[in-house]
Amino acid sequence: MVNTKLLPLVALISGRGSNLQAIIDQSQSGQLPVEIRAVISNRLQAQGLARAHHAGIKTHVLNQQYTHREIFDKTLMNLIDSYTPKLVVLAGFMRILTPRFVHHYKGRLLNIHPSLLPNFPGLDTHQRAIQAGVKEHGATVHFVTDKVDQGPIILQARVPVYPDDTPDILAARVLKEEHRIYPEAIRAFAEKKIIFKDE
Ligand code: GAR
């Protein structure tokens, strides 16, 4: 039976899927009022696909045969919309999305980024944080807009950076916090405690 109190969502992944796992775990334990209707990966090898299978969630792979960005995103949109989600979460989805895609999901598209935005948008955030000598680093959950890594911030988690940190050690410290704040932000969205406002 469909539980109408659960927020239907679709998750997009590209790799390991540990954030997806955190969302699955909290959903299964009843802490997160969501129904994960599908997990879509742009990479066949993504470990997160196995996590979804294990949880009994439908999966799809849309790989690079759709080389043209507009065509890829249109195909992705059609697939996502076939599940009629109220929320789409990017959980380590490593593709830049077209403005058309982003507008289509305006106000219901979330991302987690491994830095304290607006610091360190883009890739290699942990290495860059160490190189910059910052004392604090972290992760950010934000609404996605067509300005990459610049959408309105929902939640951030801070961690210390120690002098002997390597990017891997720092990444692990941040990831632990990601697994805490992503479900928390999704819960706030599901409970309508946050809404997206156009700037
Ligand atoms: C996470 O650290 C996430 O913040 C990052 O990719 C990792 C995915 O890990 N996302 C980005 O860098 C987005 N630009 P996961 O697959 O184990 O969740």
Side-chain angles (χ1 to χ4, degrees):
M1 203 168 73
V2 176
N3 184 340
T4 51
K5 287 197 185 121
L6 299 181
L7 182 85
L9 75 76
V10 167
L12 307 188
I13 63 166
S14 297
R16 180 178 52 190
S18 69
N19 276 289
L20 170 69
Q21 190 68 58
I23 297 164
I24 290 173
D25 290 347
Q26 288 215 12
S27 149
Q28 287 181 337
S29 67
Q31 292 164 275
L32 191 55
V34 299
E35 179 198 348
I36 307 165
R37 292 202 171 156
V39 170
I40 303 171
S41 171
N42 65 324
R43 289 184 57 237
L44 181 61
Q45 306 85 345
Q47 278 173 264
L49 289 167
R51 298 178 190 268
H53 281 301
H54 188 70
I57 300 166
K58 286 200 180 145
T59 61
H60 297 270
V61 176
L62 268 192
N63 63 27
Q64 306 294 334
Q65 61 183 299
Y66 302 102
T67 43
H68 194 286
R69 202 172 278 285
E70 287 289 343
I71 296 171
F72 181 94
D73 280 13
K74 184 73 188 111
T75 310
L76 182 57
M77 271 162 61
N78 288 341
L79 182 57
I80 293 171
D81 289 350
S82 71
Y83 288 97
T84 57
K86 292 221 165 93
L87 181 66
V88 177
V89 297
L90 307 181
F93 188 66
M94 305 306 277
R95 271 184 75 99
I96 307 251
L97 295 158
T98 54
R100 186 180 178 198
F101 182 99
V102 170
H103 284 134
H104 183 71
Y105 298 105
K106 191 162 114 181
R108 55 187 178 117
L109 181 59
L110 303 189
N111 182 43
I112 187 151
H113 182 79
S115 78
L116 291 172
L117 290 173
N119 299 332
F120 311 116
L123 300 174
D124 302 323
T125 56
H126 308 303
Q127 192 178 334
R128 286 159 58 212
I130 289 170
Q131 273 166 1
V134 295
K135 298 277 175 281
E136 235 185 7
H137 186 47
T140 303
V141 181
H142 64 97
F143 283 107
V144 177
T145 64
D146 52 16
K147 296 187 193 96
V148 177
D149 295 335
Q150 289 182 48
I153 290 172
I154 297 169
L155 259 184
Q156 291 189 308
R158 292 166 185 277
V159 301
V161 181
Y162 299 117
D164 55 353
D165 274 348
T166 63
D168 284 351
I169 289 172
L170 184 55
R173 195 176 301 130
V174 171
L175 193 64
K176 200 166 162 231
E177 293 301 306
E178 293 187 36
H179 298 163
R180 182 176 64 77
I181 64 170
Y182 212 1
E184 194 177 329
I186 294 169
R187 186 178 312 112
F189 183 90
E191 293 173 351
K192 297 192 168 49
K193 290 183 176 150
I194 43 166
I195 46 158
F196 177 84
K197 269 195 182 166
D198 264 329
E199 288 129 27

